[in-house]
Amino acid sequence: SQQGEEDPQALSIQEGENATMNCSYKTSINNLQWYRQNSGRGLVHLILIRSNEREKHSGRLRVTLDTSKKSSSLLITASRAADTASYFCATDPRHIIQGAQKLVFGQGTRLTINP
Amino acid sequence: NAGVTQTPKFRVLKTGQSMTLLCAQDMNHEYMYWYRQDPGMGLRLIHYSVGEGTTAKGEVPDGYNVSRLKKQNFLLGLESAAPSQTSVYFCASTHGGIKASGGATQYFGPGTRLTVL
């Protein structure tokens, strides 16, 4: 089952513009994470935001979390060609903090930065 | 540190053949995971392990077996491969216990591309 649904499925912008990707989920979560995947590679962790946090920043990345709407957004500012990749949100749907963290991934957003 | 490594990188099997995928991590992580990724899809959890000698089923465990005899290694086996198992397989690891209680980064290997004819 897909807990997280990313929107849009594909996004193409010009270099220097900002890119915004959204993620919606269905159940309560412990945390939400964003990962990047370059073509033919494994996933690389970008940001983790816990359920009691509303916003986090990391360099050119800004993530927001709205637990009342069960949604998150990833903003990449001043995009570069190297940002071209697929971006996945992953939720940890543990209601009680116990046991193994089992992330549930969305289908991803394919981001293309045009030079 | 090599991080998470996977062998082999590519493999082609015929229906009914068996194989084992090896995942190794050198970060002393307690938890290890096997995922599969199909075209245009996110990752789906096959099996996972919370420590040496323990394994558990994930979302799509049928047709796969796993073993974690050593903390640093997590093996994924296909006893009788089927075309539906054509996919890219990723291994990941993370801290466990209190270090993961608020959420923990998963570190991924580069993947194994498996084709079953």
Side-chain angles (χ1 to χ4, degrees):
Chain A
S1 61
Q2 295 290 337
Q3 157 85 314
E5 297 288 339
E6 281 98 338
D7 172 58
Q9 290 189 353
L11 178 62
S12 181
I13 61 173
Q14 295 299 119
E15 194 168 18
E17 294 181 337
N18 295 341
T20 300
M21 288 158 272
N22 302 296
C23 172
S24 60
Y25 57 92
K26 300 174 182 174
T27 66
S28 60
I29 61 172
N30 176 263
N31 66 82
L32 184 146
Q33 304 182 29
W34 285 91
Y35 288 81
R36 185 187 73 228
Q37 183 180 36
N38 290 92
S39 181
R41 301 290 186 91
L43 277 71
V44 175
H45 181 262
L46 295 176
I47 282 187
L48 180 154
I49 186 165
R50 294 184 173 81
S51 59
N52 61 351
E53 297 175 315
R54 293 296 167 258
E55 187 171 312
K56 287 191 82 169
H57 296 256
S58 177
R60 294 184 295 113
L61 306 181
R62 172 179 168 251
V63 168
T64 61
L65 179 64
D66 187 334
T67 54
S68 66
K69 296 181 179 178
K70 291 187 171 60
S71 67
S72 174
S73 67
L74 170 66
L75 169 68
I76 303 175
T77 60
S79 63
R80 304 169 182 169
D83 295 329
T84 294
S86 290
Y87 292 81
F88 295 89
C89 71
T91 52
D92 178 3
R94 289 175 296 170
H95 180 62
I96 300 172
I97 301 174
Q98 63 181 18
Q101 172 181 266
K102 291 181 286 184
L103 296 179
V104 181
F105 287 82
Q107 294 179 328
T109 293
R110 292 190 311 277
L111 175 65
T112 302
I113 309 299
N114 302 303
Chain B
N1 286 353
V4 180
T5 58
Q6 293 182 233
T7 53
K9 289 185 170 56
F10 303 93
R11 186 72 185 267
V12 178
L13 291 179
K14 295 181 179 178
T15 297
Q17 288 184 319
S18 63
M19 77 163 296
T20 300
L21 283 68
L22 171 63
C23 175
Q25 52 94 5
D26 61 2
M27 297 173 283
N28 202 33
H29 285 166
E30 291 86 357
Y31 295 171
M32 297 186 74
Y33 306 81
W34 275 108
Y35 296 91
R36 61 177 288 172
Q37 183 179 34
D38 299 301
M41 300 284 288
L43 276 66
R44 290 184 292 169
L45 182 64
I46 304 172
H47 285 281
Y48 66 99
S49 167
V50 300
E52 184 177 320
T54 71
T55 63
K57 295 180 180 180
E59 181 187 355
V60 289
D62 294 342
Y64 305 94
N65 57 76
V66 288
S67 64
R68 183 123 181 249
L69 300 179
K70 294 182 179 180
K71 185 177 184 179
Q72 64 268 33
N73 295 337
F74 195 27
L75 278 64
L76 177 71
L78 286 73
E79 290 186 349
S80 180
S84 61
Q85 294 177 304
T86 294
S87 189
V88 182
Y89 292 86
F90 289 99
C91 175
S93 71
T94 190
H95 291 295
I98 192 66
K99 290 181 180 179
S101 61
T105 298
Q106 290 198 3
Y107 294 84
F108 283 82
T112 294
R113 187 174 297 276
L114 175 65
T115 301
V116 183
L117 302 176

